[in-house]
Amino acid sequence: MSSASLESYYIGIDVGTGSVRASLVNKLGKVVAASTQETKTWRDPFDNRVFEQSTADIWNATGTVIKACLKASSVDPFAVKGLGFDATCSLAVTDFEGEPVVVTKGVRLGQHGERNIILWADHRAEKEADLINGTGSVVLDYVGGKMSLEMEIPKILWLKNNMDPALFSKCQFFDLPDFLTYQATKDTARSCCRMAEGFLPENWLQELSDRDYAQVGVREGEEVLVAGMPVGEGLSNKAAEELGLVPGTPVGSALIDALDGHCCCKYKENGKLSSVIPSLEESGHLLAAVAGTSTCHIVQSPEGIFVNGVWGPYKDPILSGWWMNEGGQSSLDRFVEYYHPHALIRPDRNSLCHPADRFFLQETLDRLRIEQGVDNLTELTKDLHLYPDFHGNRSPIADPRMRGSIIGMELDNSLIDLAKQYHATLLAIALQTRHIVDTLNNSGHKVASIYMSGGQAKNAELMQLFADVQRGAVVLGAAMLGRFAAEAGTRGKEGQAQRLWDIMVEMTPPGDMVSPSCTPREKKLLEAKYKIFLETIEVQKRWRKEMEDACK
């Protein structure tokens, strides 16, 4: 059978914090096959700020999941017309031949070795971020007023401060999505997605400026690629062999994993597909919340909007000519898991229950609500107040020193107490999301609805809390970039926004709408909870200052 007679398929690769996932889809976005492979993360037993990964491990996992999809679907590799990547906003370090360079502090720092990724969640560069933010540079306005220690630039500065200068000069630095397209094509073209962070005032990293920014992949005057634009000549011979695909298969310019969740919002209401499909212009009223290991809150606008404590505005990260702001909650899933014990004993089974058995916890909560004669779970936990920033605050406070807290604890370690804390955890996440959305809207955005994706979107109780706390609808929802690259040809940026949006409209499967369902009584309780949530922030800041003053 000739390749021309084959149906067209596309592969999306999603590199999350803990795994690599592949989806093989047809032109209409129907998933034909999917596969997931876990990846390694190294921690430092003496420094809980450190999170490291390996590009070799991630690339091997990428080959494994792609081959698994092809095998499960019996799709001919010649029928795969495009490949798209998204990945976490992590810093990958190699030499100029693409060999991995160790980022672990110690004698091997800067030498060749496996652990060459500083994960997004790594907080080792706090001093470097403080130094950058202390300059008061105008460019900080484009990252919400403060550069986060989770961004690449403080991490590169940390490497400069700790690595042998001779070894540092031999390094090239990638945002992880751009590394994947480089590994696939051997083309060093970088995406617009994170080059907004590429401004490097010379007093921070003079070496990079002196070398015309070659170490970060884009020399002055060179074009960066908007999402989905073809990278180089497509898959290299070596990459094609490793991935089980055909040399020359188009590869789309990559995105940060959170940004790839920004999709057209088709939805079903009461089981019926709505005929309402937002236009490109109307997309500015839609916030895409990608809830996985962390949650990212993406909103776009035709003009740049400056929002204190929220990253951006970045120009062209997804749609050419559009600006984007990005809020976020760090380590969401670790926060949820924090309030689960290592194992629960189910009385009805007399056996161990996996800590993520939220259905069992929800059953316990519903039973408690009935026994105590209250109308809703917010009233059941009205005196339990939890603040969620156990790993610092990304948005909208932009303060890595913020810490979690819980008020209203009892001398109780029973399943009942665990269930209450679990609900308080979900409510805290929803309240913080409202804080982010309110901050965006108070600065000029007009967010009217939320499109949820990611693993946490499967938690029905959390999604209902999102709708009730936000007082608006929530709709539950990579290969699009591969299709765009295959169809883009050499047309460049012109018309990219509308063409990519049209592909989103065609390929995005409809999600289910969750509407607010709280009673007037619960609405009043949620408003009180939100007021207390905001007061908790101010109290923590005041207490921290009082203790700092006492130490002087």
Side-chain angles (χ1 to χ4, degrees):
M1 183 182 294
S2 69
S3 61
S5 65
L6 298 173
E7 182 179 355
S8 296
Y9 295 90
Y10 306 90
I11 293 178
I13 300 296
D14 170 35
V15 179
T17 301
S19 64
V20 176
R21 294 172 288 273
S23 292
L24 177 68
V25 304
N26 65 16
K27 197 168 184 177
L28 297 178
K30 179 182 178 182
V31 177
V32 177
S35 180
T36 301
Q37 178 75 27
E38 291 187 356
T39 52
K40 302 176 187 174
T41 299
W42 286 271
R43 303 294 311 277
D44 185 334
F46 303 106
D47 188 347
N48 65 6
R49 301 173 302 169
V50 172
F51 294 78
E52 296 173 351
Q53 292 186 334
S54 161
T55 56
D57 176 55
I58 288 172
W59 187 252
N60 288 338
T62 301
T64 297
V65 294
I66 289 177
K67 292 173 183 176
C69 285
L70 295 175
K71 182 178 180 180
S73 63
S74 299
V75 167
D76 190 314
F78 282 93
V80 177
K81 303 302 182 183
L83 179 66
F85 291 95
D86 70 58
T88 63
C89 179
S90 301
L91 178 68
V93 185
T94 73
D95 64 16
F96 281 90
E97 283 68 51
E99 294 299 316
V101 171
V102 172
V103 296
T104 307
K105 188 172 184 178
V107 295
R108 298 203 61 220
L109 180 64
Q111 299 178 14
H112 289 137
E114 185 177 20
R115 295 166 61 169
N116 70 318
I117 295 175
I118 301 180
L119 192 65
W120 65 267
D122 190 297
H123 281 191
R124 74 183 72 181
E126 183 172 354
K127 290 181 180 179
E128 287 73 16
D130 287 344
L131 173 65
I132 292 169
N133 291 325
T135 66
S137 171
V138 66
V139 297
L140 296 174
D141 292 342
Y142 289 85
V143 288
K146 291 181 181 179
M147 182 168 285
S148 169
L149 77 174
E150 293 182 358
M151 292 180 175
E152 276 82 349
I153 301 307
K155 292 169 181 173
I156 294 175
L157 185 55
W158 182 91
L159 290 170
K160 173 200 168 185
N161 291 339
N162 288 274
M163 191 183 293
D164 182 327
L167 295 176
F168 183 80
S169 67
K170 298 176 182 178
C171 294
Q172 61 173 336
F173 305 102
F174 294 89
D175 206 24
L176 183 54
D178 287 338
F179 170 82
L180 294 169
T181 59
Y182 166 75
Q183 188 76 353
T185 65
K186 287 307 173 187
D187 191 297
T188 59
R190 304 301 173 95
S191 62
C192 287
C193 179
R194 271 295 185 251
M195 286 312 296
E197 292 176 19
F199 41 73
L200 301 170
E202 295 181 2
N203 58 319
W204 299 341
L205 287 161
Q206 180 71 37
E207 295 89 338
L208 303 192
S209 175
D210 290 345
R211 299 179 190 114
D212 197 17
Y213 302 110
Q215 286 179 272
V216 292
V218 180
R219 292 177 172 84
E220 227 174 301
E222 290 185 344
E223 184 182 25
V224 292
L225 301 179
V226 183
M229 290 179 64
V231 180
E233 302 298 321
L235 280 182
S236 68
N237 291 338
K238 183 174 183 292
E241 181 180 355
E242 292 168 341
L243 301 182
L245 296 172
V246 178
T249 300
V251 175
S253 178
L255 286 174
I256 299 300
D257 54 351
L259 275 58
D260 210 17
H262 192 282
C263 298
C264 167
C265 188
K266 295 187 291 186
Y267 62 90
K268 291 181 290 184
E269 188 172 8
N270 298 322
K272 185 178 180 180
L273 180 63
S274 171
S275 60
V276 177
I277 299 176
S279 66
L280 174 59
E281 290 70 26
E282 292 169 333
S283 69
H285 304 309
L286 167 69
L287 181 136
V290 185
T293 303
S294 64
T295 298
C296 296
H297 307 78
I298 310 298
V299 61
Q300 297 201 104
S301 54
E303 304 294 334
I305 297 175
F306 294 87
V307 185
N308 284 335
V310 177
W311 298 354
Y314 301 141
K315 190 176 183 182
D316 298 340
I318 306 176
L319 302 174
S320 180
W322 283 64
W323 296 76
M324 184 201 75
N325 291 93
E326 178 185 351
Q329 296 164 297
S330 293
S331 299
L332 172 66
D333 70 332
R334 292 180 64 221
F335 171 51
V336 174
E337 290 174 4
Y338 184 84
Y339 280 99
H340 288 162
H342 294 297
L344 298 175
I345 300 294
R346 290 198 53 162
D348 59 333
R349 295 184 187 174
N350 194 30
S351 62
L352 291 180
C353 167
H354 190 274
D357 193 352
R358 62 179 183 270
F359 302 106
F360 183 46
L361 293 173
Q362 199 64 36
E363 289 174 1
T364 303
L365 287 166
D366 290 338
R367 177 171 51 81
L368 283 171
R369 180 185 61 78
I370 295 170
E371 288 176 354
Q372 297 190 21
V374 295
D375 293 334
N376 53 71
L377 297 182
T378 306
E379 186 170 0
L380 180 69
T381 58
K382 64 183 178 63
D383 295 319
L384 189 61
H385 307 289
L386 196 147
Y387 184 75
D389 285 334
F390 285 68
H391 198 56
N393 181 277
R394 186 188 300 174
S395 307
I397 307 169
D399 186 350
R401 297 174 297 170
M402 293 296 291
R403 291 295 177 261
S405 64
I406 183 166
I407 299 170
M409 295 184 71
E410 302 175 66
L411 285 175
D412 186 355
N413 62 354
S414 67
L415 176 61
I416 290 175
D417 186 63
L418 172 68
K420 289 181 178 180
Q421 290 190 34
Y422 172 71
H423 180 76
T425 299
L426 300 186
L427 180 56
I429 293 168
L431 292 169
Q432 188 167 66
T433 298
R434 176 174 169 183
H435 191 199
I436 293 169
V437 172
D438 283 357
T439 302
L440 289 168
N441 286 341
N442 290 338
S443 299
H445 284 287
K446 296 179 180 179
V447 174
S449 58
I450 299 176
Y451 185 95
M452 293 292 307
S453 61
Q456 298 298 332
K458 299 174 183 177
N459 189 324
E461 291 75 27
L462 178 59
M463 295 305 100
Q464 188 61 61
L465 281 170
F466 267 66
D468 290 342
V469 171
Q470 306 307 317
R471 302 155 298 174
V474 174
V475 177
L476 315 179
M480 299 174 196
L481 301 180
R483 177 177 164 186
F484 186 87
E487 297 179 357
T490 58
R491 287 185 283 180
K493 292 183 179 180
E494 185 176 354
Q496 180 268 357
Q498 188 63 55
R499 283 184 284 132
L500 183 55
W501 184 258
D502 290 343
I503 289 175
M504 289 179 178
V505 169
E506 187 172 0
M507 294 185 72
T508 302
D512 293 311
M513 175 178 283
V514 179
S515 299
S517 65
C518 58
T519 64
R521 179 181 177 83
E522 185 176 10
K523 182 178 178 181
K524 186 176 179 181
L525 287 165
L526 289 172
E527 289 299 317
K529 282 279 189 179
Y530 186 51
K531 180 182 178 183
I532 291 170
F533 179 90
L534 297 177
E535 289 175 353
T536 302
I537 296 170
E538 297 309 314
V539 167
Q540 182 175 159
K541 287 180 177 180
R542 176 165 57 82
W543 285 356
R544 185 200 304 161
K545 185 178 185 304
E546 288 175 358
M547 295 309 298
E548 288 173 351
D549 290 345
C551 290
K552 292 179 181 177

